[in-house]
Amino acid sequence: MTILKLSNEMKTVPMKPKYNSLREKIRAEKIERAERYAKFKIIWERAVEVGHKAAIEAQPMPMIVKNVQTNEQWHVSEGACGFASIHLVKGNTSFAHWAKKNAGFTKHYYGGLSLSVSAYNQSVERKTAFADAVCEVLKSEGIDCYASSRLD
């Protein structure tokens, strides 16, 4: 750190590290990226764990499906069928790059990245609970995301 005197105030300005060679700089950046990616892995694993717990604890409203022509009925204990997704608003952040390589995120039509929730059979309520819980954990870590769902 270097202390600079600006007018009558003393301010501390962080100095950029100086490298003796380009190889040294690349090596240092590689180490920083590995540390950052290790942190992202921990965040993602915690988010998935919290999301899984939320999905398991969700209690979908059962429904009965009836064929009006034959009067056959089926009990669907998992409730309505549907889809849920997790969306990263910006696709060019460090976390987004990591998520694309390691967590299965893909480009989203409206920008950013998205991950479709494929677990929990066809239950839209369980999938939505998972996506919402994952987004809450990611938001608490400063990652801009949102969850969406739709019925089938």
Side-chain angles (χ1 to χ4, degrees):
M1 295 269 214
T2 302
I3 299 175
L4 300 175
K5 186 170 182 177
L6 304 173
S7 65
N8 292 333
E9 299 177 24
M10 299 293 282
K11 297 204 176 191
T12 304
V13 179
M15 292 285 293
K16 290 184 179 180
K18 295 197 178 196
Y19 302 105
N20 294 326
S21 67
L22 181 59
R23 287 179 192 230
E24 191 176 304
K25 179 182 178 189
I26 291 170
R27 190 176 306 116
E29 289 173 349
K30 186 176 180 180
I31 292 169
E32 289 173 11
R33 186 172 38 257
E35 291 171 353
R36 196 170 52 245
Y37 282 10
K39 179 183 171 192
F40 292 157
K41 182 179 179 186
I42 292 168
I43 292 168
W44 179 248
E45 288 173 351
R46 186 168 47 99
V48 168
E49 183 180 321
V50 169
H52 179 69
K53 184 178 178 193
I56 296 300
E57 290 176 354
Q59 296 180 355
M61 180 181 288
M63 63 180 189
I64 297 195
V65 179
K66 181 178 180 179
N67 184 338
V68 293
Q69 294 174 342
T70 63
N71 275 345
E72 287 182 276
Q73 293 184 351
W74 297 273
H75 180 263
V76 182
S77 62
E78 289 295 304
C81 300
F83 306 94
S85 311
I86 301 163
H87 304 278
L88 300 178
V89 175
K90 295 181 180 176
N92 61 351
T93 63
S94 185
F95 180 78
H97 289 285
W98 178 88
K100 192 172 182 181
K101 289 180 182 177
N102 300 289
F105 279 78
T106 58
K107 288 184 179 180
H108 185 56
Y109 182 79
Y110 295 109
L113 299 176
S114 67
L115 176 70
S116 184
V117 179
S118 58
Y120 312 108
N121 297 324
Q122 295 183 359
S123 175
V124 71
E125 293 178 52
R126 290 192 191 277
K127 290 179 181 209
T128 302
F130 176 84
D132 288 339
V134 167
C135 282
E136 287 302 315
V137 173
L138 294 179
K139 285 179 185 176
S140 72
E141 294 291 336
I143 299 166
D144 196 9
C145 67
Y146 63 95
S148 68
S149 63
R150 62 185 172 89
L151 293 174
D152 186 16

